[in-house]
Amino acid sequence: MPMTWLNQSIDDPNLVQSVEDLIKAYPASSRVIERLVNYYDNKPPSDRDIKRRKLEDKNALSSDEILRIMDVSFQLPARKKLDLIITRTRLILYNPKQNAIEVQYNLDDLSQLGGACVPSPDKAVKSYTYTIFLKTEDVIVFNTQEKANVTLKKPDTEDQILETNKHEVISQLITEHARVPITQPSKEFFRSTGVSSITGKQEDRSHVIGYLKAKDGFLFFLPTGILFGFKKPTLFFPVSSLASTVITNITQRTFDLTLTLRPESKILGSAGFRTTKDGDDDTVQFSMIEQSEYGGIEAYTKKVNINDHSMTEERKAVNKGENQDETNEGNNGDDDGQDTSENDEDFEPSDDENEPLEFDTDASADEEDDEDDEDTEKQTSKELAHEEEHEFEDAVMSENEEGEELLDESD
C-alpha cells in the first residue's frame, strides 16, 4: 500500500524506497517514522536555514547588488571559496557553484571598529587576511594572495581584474560600500623584527606569536586596537576598551601580557570566549611571548595611551610579597635559613631495640673519620684473628708430626 505522506514529504526516490523497505521489515516503525517526518515538515526554519537559501533566479541579486568580489578564500564562518557580495543593505557570502546564499548579514549589524587587513603570517606565498567583526560575537575572516588575480564585478560595468595592490583596493571598497573602516598595520604604532619560519631570514613583521590559554595565534598591534587570530576565537580589543596592560611571568626567553578591560567594555568576536577576573576587572592574558617583543609592545601602549601597570607600586608590592613567601617557604620560616626541623639536643636513646634510629643532623666530618677508623680496626682484628688461626693450625700439625716420629722410633 503506497504511503502518500512519505512521497509528499521526501522528493528523493532512493530515500523513499529505503524507508519503505525499513517499514516492511519492521512494521511497527511506520508510526514513529511518520511522526518524525511530520515533525520536520512543521518545524520552523532555523537561523542557518534562513541565512543559507537557494536562489530561484540567478539574477535575483543584480537589482540590489553594488559590488561582488569573486572567488574569495574564507576561513570564518566557513572554510571554502565564496563570492563576497555587498548590496545596499546586506553583506552576502554567496556560493556560485550551488547558486545559494551561504550567510548574509545586515550592514547595520557590522561593527565600525573591527575591520582590519594584515599580512598573513607564516605563508609561503605572500597573502593578506581581512577581518570584519559584527556587533554580535561573530566575525568574518577571508584571504587574498598577492600573486593570484582578483575579479571585481559591478553593475553595468565590465569586470575589473585586480593584479597589483589588491589588498589596498579591497580594503578601500569594503570601507566605502560596507561602511566598515578597514585598518592596516603601521610601523609608527608597532614594529617587530623577527626570523621568518619560512625563509629563516630576519624580516620586519607586524605581529607577534602568543598563546591564549592553550591556543596559539598571532597578535597584531594596530592603530585601532589589538587583533588576535585567526583560529577560533578570533578577537579584537578596541583601544577604547583597554584600561591597562601588565607584563608578568618574565623568564629569560618569554613573558605574559595581560590586558585589563574597561568596565562594561566589549570584546569583538568573542563567541564562546570568557574573560578572567583580576579583582573586579575583566582581564585577558596572552602567554609565551618572545622577550625580544617587549620593546615594541611597550612602545605601542605608550603610543595609544594605554596605562602600563607592570611597575606600579601595588604590583611591586605583590611581587615582593610573592618572593618573600617563596623565601619563607624555602626556609621553613627560619630567618637565617637554617634547617630547624629537628633538635638533636633532645635526642634520647630508646630501650626498644626495634625502634628505628634517629638521624643526627649535626654529624661532623670528624665523626665520619671515627667511623672509618672503627672500620679499619675491625678489619685489622679480623686479619689478626685469621693469622692466629693459621698459627694454631700449624702448631697442631707440628705436634701430630712429632707424635708420628715417636711411634716410628718405638717400632
Side-chain angles (χ1 to χ4, degrees), residues 174-187:
I174 293 175
T175 299
E176 178 182 354
H177 296 297
R179 303 191 293 273
V180 176
I182 302 296
T183 188
Q184 298 186 44
S186 170
K187 292 183 179 179

Side-chain angles (χ1 to χ4, degrees), residues 67-68 70 151-161:
L67 171 70
R68 181 184 297 222
M70 302 182 66
T151 301
L152 301 180
K153 293 178 71 72
K154 294 182 179 180
D156 303 324
T157 61
E158 294 183 358
D159 293 352
Q160 180 183 357
I161 307 298

Side-chain angles (χ1 to χ4, degrees), residues 211-337:
Y211 284 80
L212 180 61
K213 298 181 180 177
K215 296 183 178 181
D216 62 318
F218 305 99
L219 283 164
F220 294 84
F221 297 88
L222 306 174
T224 52
I226 299 175
L227 172 66
F228 177 78
F230 293 99
K231 303 174 185 178
K232 288 184 179 182
T234 290
L235 307 173
F236 186 76
F237 304 84
V239 170
S240 58
S241 297
L242 298 175
S244 64
T245 62
V246 176
I247 302 297
T248 58
N249 298 331
I250 301 173
T251 68
Q252 291 183 348
R253 295 184 178 180
T254 64
F255 63 89
D256 295 349
L257 172 66
T258 300
L259 307 179
T260 302
L261 307 181
R262 295 184 184 278
E264 299 182 359
S265 61
K266 194 168 186 178
I267 304 173
L268 300 181
S270 57
F273 172 75
R274 295 292 178 267
T275 60
T276 56
K277 288 283 186 181
D278 184 2
D280 295 330
D281 299 321
D282 288 332
T283 63
V284 180
Q285 185 179 71
F286 298 98
S287 60
M288 301 295 290
I289 301 173
E290 291 291 336
Q291 271 282 2
S292 58
E293 309 291 0
Y294 175 79
I297 294 175
E298 183 184 34
Y300 173 81
T301 58
K302 292 180 179 179
K303 184 74 175 180
V304 297
N305 295 320
I306 302 175
N307 295 324
D308 184 0
H309 286 179
S310 301
M311 299 303 293
T312 59
E313 293 301 323
E314 293 84 355
R315 178 63 57 177
K316 287 180 181 179
V318 170
N319 292 338
K320 183 177 180 180
E322 291 175 352
N323 294 336
Q324 185 64 38
D325 290 341
E326 292 176 359
T327 302
N328 291 341
E329 183 179 354
N331 292 339
N332 292 323
D334 193 2
D335 294 337
D336 59 4

Side-chain angles (χ1 to χ4, degrees), residues 395-409:
V396 171
M397 291 179 62
S398 177
E399 290 178 356
N400 290 338
E401 289 176 355
E402 291 178 357
E404 290 176 356
E405 291 176 357
L406 293 173
L407 289 172
D408 291 337
E409 291 177 354

